[in-house]
Each structure stands twice: as C-alpha cells, then as structure tokens.
Amino acid sequence: MIRRDPQELARISHDLVIVGGGVFGIMLGMEASRRNLRWLLLEQGDFGGETSYHHHRILHGGLRYLQSLDLGRFRQSVQERKWFLKTYPNFTTPLPCLMPLYGEGLKRPVIFQVALGLNNLLSSGRNRGLDAGQMLPDGKLVSAEETQRLAPGISGTGLKGGAIWYDGSILENQRILMETLRWGCAQGGNALNYVRAESLSLSDTGGLRVRARDVEKDEIHTFQGRHIINAAGPWCREVARRFDAASKAIASDGVLMWNLLVDRLPPSRHALALFSKSKAGGAYFLHPWKDKMLIGTGQMPWTERQGVKMPGAAVLSDFIQDINGLMPELKLKKTDILRVFAGVVPGNAKGELRKEDILYKHSRHGGPEGLYSLSGVKFTTARAVADKALSSVFPGHPRMSDSEFHACWSPDWKRGIFPLDWEGSLAPSEVLDSLDQIRLEESVLHLDDLLLRRCSLGDNPARVLPIIEAVGERFAWDPQRLQLEMQRVRQTLKGEVLSA
C-alpha cells in the first residue's frame, strides 16, 4: 500500500527526501529502496500526473545517437530499453519502426546501411535475459516496393527504400509508474501526493528540513532528511530557487511537447518515422498503439510565465496539416483526436530540447549541504539517471543486484488494465470492485487520480465518461463534491480537445 499519513512521516527522519513524483522521482525512490535507504517522496499534485503521463509511449534505444557517435548515450538507451522490457513484459512490447528513405542527406540507404549495421553490432546484448516475446530482431534495409507494402499511403515519389529497426512500446504507462512506486514503498519508502514543498531550512540535529503544505487539508508539515533531491520536472528551477535563493541550477526554460491519440486504425504495424522540413529536430512518429494511433512529437518553446501546458488551436491545426502533408491518405481532422498528451521537458537557452541530464550539487555553488537538483530528459533512461544520481549522493552504499531485484519484484499484471475500446453505459461490478482495490491502496484522493493515473480507462474518453458517476459513487462523497469531481474529469478529457 501507498499510505498517506503526513503527520506520522513528519515525526521520522529520512535518509532522502525526494521532491517531485514524476518518473525521475519515482525511479529515485525505487533505487533508494535498492540501497535500503529510508526515503520520502513529496509530490505537489498526483503521482506521474504531468510530463511522465503525456509522453509518446516509446522506449527509444538510441539509434539517433549513432549519428553523432555519442556511444555513451547510445549504450545507456539500449540498456534501459532492455530494463523496461525485462521488468515489465506484460506492460511493454517490441515495436518495429520503419523510416522511408528518399535519398536526401543522411537519410539515404547507403548511410542507413552503415547505421543499422552499427546499431546491430553495438546492441548485440540487447536481448540478453529477455523473454522470447520481448526480443528485438536486427535492423535491416528493405526495398522501395517492400516499404510501400509495409506502409501503404506514403509517397512513392523519389522513394529509395526503407530502414527497419526495433524499439519498445509502452502499453500501460500508468501502471509502470504505479507498480514501481508500490514496490519502492513496500521496501521501506513512503510517498505523499498533493503535498507541496515550500521552503528548506537546516535541521537542529543535522541534515535538512522541508516545510511543505498538504494542499488537500491546508496543513503545514515539516519533513526531515539527510539529503534532499529536487526532481520536480517542469518546476525544477522554481523549487531550486525556493530552496536556495542563489541557485543558478536549471537556468533555461522548457519545451512544450505533445502527442495526439487519434481514433484511427494505424496505417502500418510499424511505427512510421516521417520527416517534415517544417519540424525542427527530425521525425514525427506514427505509433500504432492499442489499435489506435499515437502521433508525435510536436514541440515549441515554453516558459514558466506561460503557465498553460497545452498547445493552442492554431498550433494543433498546423500540426495536423503537417501530418496530412506527409501522409495525405490519413486526412486527419480535429474530430479524430481522442486525447492530447502534452507536457514540458527541459530546454536549453535557445528554447530547444536539452540533450543532457543534470545533477546540480548546491553546496558546490554556495548552497545548502545535502541539497541536489536533478533534471532529466528521457523517460527511457530515468532509472539509469536515478541510479547514477544516488551513487553520487550516497557513494559506496551497498545496492541490491539486478538479479536480487528481479527475484523479489512482483507487479500486479491485471490491476487497472482495461481494453482501450471497452464500452458500457454502466460499469460491471467486477470493474468497480477492481477500482476499489486501487482506490484503497494507492493514495487516491480524487476521481481523476483513479480513472486517469491509476488505470487505463481514461485513455479513451468515450469509454470512461459514461461510467464516471458509477465509479464516483464508490467514494461516498456528498452530491456537491461528486459533481465537482466528475466535472474535473470531464474538463481534462474534453477540454483539451475542445480547446484545440
């Protein structure tokens, strides 16, 4: 269980306090448990509710890093892709990717022949320890004719062939985050959602104290930790300044990135990598996901002053037009959009996506001893970044081996999993009962916590909207509270599309 008891946790001294409950904060907690550390995670909203919820559901193995010969990041991506495929075989699956090659620049068959050969060679251990169904075949080139057969609808003008490689697809993003957090809490950690870290001070007994507000009850609590890691994602810079006024950590704004879930059968069983001259930074991926299609990733500069983390109507219209220009037969329309998954990731001073992860030790710059800020870039490599950070914060601390870790890992493969197109005017009793178990054991405070971030029901608004009242009645709220909670869900599911 993920127990929510701020008063009790304020009485305990922790080895580590983590600020931020996205994928990096959750992985820090898991890796802290592997080191037998007592840790506490504070999240101002709900667990995994921001950028970690909105990503493209692809585990990238780092093929693009071979272009710049960044072998370190390539190997890390390959290793961490394998970690997800091995740890969550029921929540992930191999994803064949296809890039049509039109003989332009680096996207020529002769260039990709070399790239795929290097990818196959340098990732030769990518399948070691995986179940047979999770193994990734070697990449290869295919002819122009085969490319069009695999991806009907792409332009044949100037087509020279296609490059095929394999990555991973995340089928159950919410459950990966929650099962990871559940395991960490089962091993001695604790996590509090809807608790906002406000300030930092020195403890009388050594270490640091975090003053935090329980936003649900409007109560103030003070939590003690020997070390503090700020992993607050889009708010990392804000929290760093709140804790250390002289901080220069994370000195740039972010990038707003978005993916569309559209109500269309995918044109190919491969994820199609299509390049647009109007898109800075490379390809769009048309990701076949649960018999629908995830299309991304769009991006634009974002600043803290903007506040709103959603692309506007004109931006999304241009996005759809760009996709239709690359694959005219799709004829995408605004009404095809089921969800807009949009979140903020770290940027550089130019407003571009930042490439490197940052671990900022505040004491090296005149700040408090024991305070760190961690700003990570990729979902796929979050565990490795967390592992490296804790090795720096707790050098030489014994750590559970991978074999020990996998031996004691026991995710619940059925909890919160529903077909994307499950429909019904009323939820069957077994569905409601299964949601009750989650509600009681995973610190669910709001209806959208349960329907959007603890299970897969919210992926499809047409499936979840008809049942929200039946689910909400299980909370035993008064009628006014129930109406507010249902409105909160509707605004998220409908508002993001209507505003587009």
Side-chain angles (χ1 to χ4, degrees):
M1 292 182 62
I2 302 172
R3 295 176 55 251
R4 192 179 190 278
D5 190 347
Q7 290 184 333
E8 175 61 26
L9 293 172
R11 302 187 185 103
I12 301 171
S13 181
H14 306 273
D15 297 310
L16 174 66
V17 175
I18 303 160
V19 178
V23 65
F24 285 90
I26 289 172
M27 290 298 179
L28 281 167
M30 184 194 72
E31 286 297 326
S33 285
R34 293 181 70 173
R35 289 163 169 81
N36 198 30
L37 298 169
R38 176 178 286 176
W39 59 272
L40 169 65
L41 184 150
L42 305 176
E43 164 55 44
Q44 68 176 352
D46 191 28
F47 306 123
E50 290 290 339
T51 305
S52 300
Y53 177 76
H54 295 288
H55 71 101
H56 204 183
R57 274 70 170 166
I58 295 179
L59 299 168
H60 289 287
L63 176 63
R64 62 178 175 168
Y65 298 138
L66 293 179
Q67 180 177 328
S68 57
L69 293 180
D70 190 344
L71 299 185
R73 296 186 73 196
F74 172 81
R75 291 192 180 98
Q76 183 187 64
S77 297
V78 170
Q79 181 63 32
E80 294 310 298
R81 179 185 62 191
K82 181 172 75 171
W83 185 88
F84 277 102
L85 291 169
K86 180 176 181 179
T87 307
Y88 290 110
N90 292 45
F91 298 159
T92 62
T93 190
L95 177 66
C97 302
L98 170 62
M99 179 186 293
L101 302 175
Y102 291 93
E104 299 175 351
L106 295 176
K107 299 161 190 72
R108 290 174 288 166
V110 65
I111 298 294
F112 260 85
Q113 183 74 62
V114 175
L116 293 175
L118 281 174
N119 184 55
N120 296 339
L121 177 65
L122 297 176
S123 66
S124 58
R126 64 187 178 276
N127 293 323
R128 193 171 298 126
L130 294 182
D131 295 338
Q134 296 293 86
M135 293 186 177
L136 308 182
D138 281 347
K140 62 182 179 180
L141 288 181
V142 294
S143 67
E145 293 75 18
E146 179 68 1
T147 301
Q148 287 192 292
R149 187 188 70 80
L150 294 172
I154 64 170
S155 173
T157 304
L159 184 65
K160 306 297 182 184
I164 292 178
W165 70 96
Y166 292 81
D167 276 324
S169 176
I170 296 177
L171 302 176
E172 306 297 344
N173 182 68
Q174 296 92 315
R175 290 317 305 170
I176 284 180
L177 293 174
M178 292 311 302
E179 292 296 333
T180 304
L181 186 59
R182 287 181 67 223
W183 184 86
C185 289
Q187 300 299 315
N190 288 281
L192 297 173
N193 50 349
Y194 298 100
V195 174
R196 183 177 186 268
E198 295 189 338
S199 62
L200 188 73
S201 62
L202 298 177
S203 172
D204 297 334
T205 58
L208 299 166
R209 293 184 299 192
V210 177
R211 183 180 185 273
R213 182 179 301 275
D214 182 340
V215 299
E216 293 295 306
K217 298 182 178 180
D218 196 25
E219 296 176 349
I220 297 296
H221 302 280
T222 300
F223 304 100
Q224 299 188 54
R226 189 154 55 99
H227 297 282
I228 311 293
I229 298 183
N230 158 31
W235 297 275
C236 191
R237 177 168 63 176
E238 177 188 335
V239 172
R241 290 173 174 170
R242 210 184 294 160
F243 285 1
D244 175 12
S247 169
K248 296 181 180 179
I250 324 304
S252 60
D253 289 312
V255 176
L256 177 65
M257 306 188 77
W258 63 89
N259 304 288
L260 304 185
L261 178 63
V262 297
D263 192 12
R264 290 290 192 88
L265 289 173
S268 172
R269 61 178 293 270
H270 292 67
L272 302 181
L274 304 178
F275 277 82
S276 168
K277 294 180 180 179
S278 65
K279 180 181 186 291
Y284 293 113
F285 272 85
L286 278 60
H287 176 193
W289 190 74
K290 297 186 176 182
D291 294 326
K292 304 294 184 186
M293 191 164 44
L294 274 165
I295 303 177
T297 298
Q299 64 184 68
M300 61 187 294
W302 180 89
T303 68
E304 294 175 5
R305 296 182 297 277
Q306 288 175 255
V308 176
K309 295 184 289 296
M310 184 66 64
V315 172
L316 279 181
S317 293
D318 290 343
F319 181 86
I320 291 173
Q321 183 178 354
D322 209 10
I323 297 298
N324 283 334
L326 295 172
M327 209 162 184
E329 290 188 15
L330 284 178
K331 298 179 182 178
L332 283 177
K333 303 182 296 295
K334 176 183 171 180
T335 52
D336 294 321
I337 299 173
L338 290 174
R339 298 291 309 274
V340 179
F341 293 112
V344 177
V345 296
N348 59 26
K350 297 180 181 179
E352 301 167 337
L353 182 65
R354 204 181 68 221
K355 296 181 180 179
E356 73 284 353
D357 306 294
I358 293 176
L359 179 65
Y360 183 94
K361 185 176 182 179
H362 287 253
S363 62
R364 291 179 179 172
H365 305 274
E369 185 68 42
L371 174 63
Y372 299 79
S373 286
L374 174 65
S375 179
V377 177
K378 288 179 60 179
F379 188 103
T380 305
T381 55
R383 189 214 61 85
V385 172
D387 180 31
K388 183 178 179 180
L390 289 185
S391 294
S392 177
V393 176
F394 298 93
H397 202 93
R399 175 180 177 272
M400 183 186 297
S401 69
D402 286 346
S403 59
E404 291 172 320
F405 169 75
H406 286 288
C408 68
W409 186 268
S410 55
D412 187 333
W413 299 120
K414 295 183 179 180
R415 175 182 291 223
I417 306 302
F418 302 96
L420 190 67
D421 282 327
W422 177 84
E423 295 179 358
S425 57
L426 293 175
S429 59
E430 60 268 25
V431 173
L432 291 175
D433 291 343
S434 69
L435 292 177
D436 274 345
Q437 183 182 22
I438 297 172
R439 178 175 61 85
L440 296 172
E441 296 180 358
E442 296 187 8
S443 191
V444 172
L445 276 68
H446 294 281
L447 189 56
D448 59 334
D449 298 345
L450 178 61
L451 293 176
L452 305 187
R453 293 179 291 276
R454 299 296 187 280
C455 73
S456 60
L457 282 170
D459 291 336
N460 186 349
R463 179 185 59 184
V464 72
L465 286 173
I467 67 167
I468 58 173
E469 186 167 5
V471 177
E473 288 173 350
R474 292 293 184 108
F475 285 81
W477 288 317
D478 63 65
Q480 184 179 8
R481 170 72 184 275
L482 177 58
Q483 290 301 315
L484 289 173
E485 292 287 340
M486 291 193 296
Q487 182 181 3
R488 179 168 163 154
V489 176
R490 292 189 182 105
Q491 284 179 336
T492 298
L493 294 177
K494 288 188 175 180
E496 62 189 15
V497 176
L498 292 174
S499 66

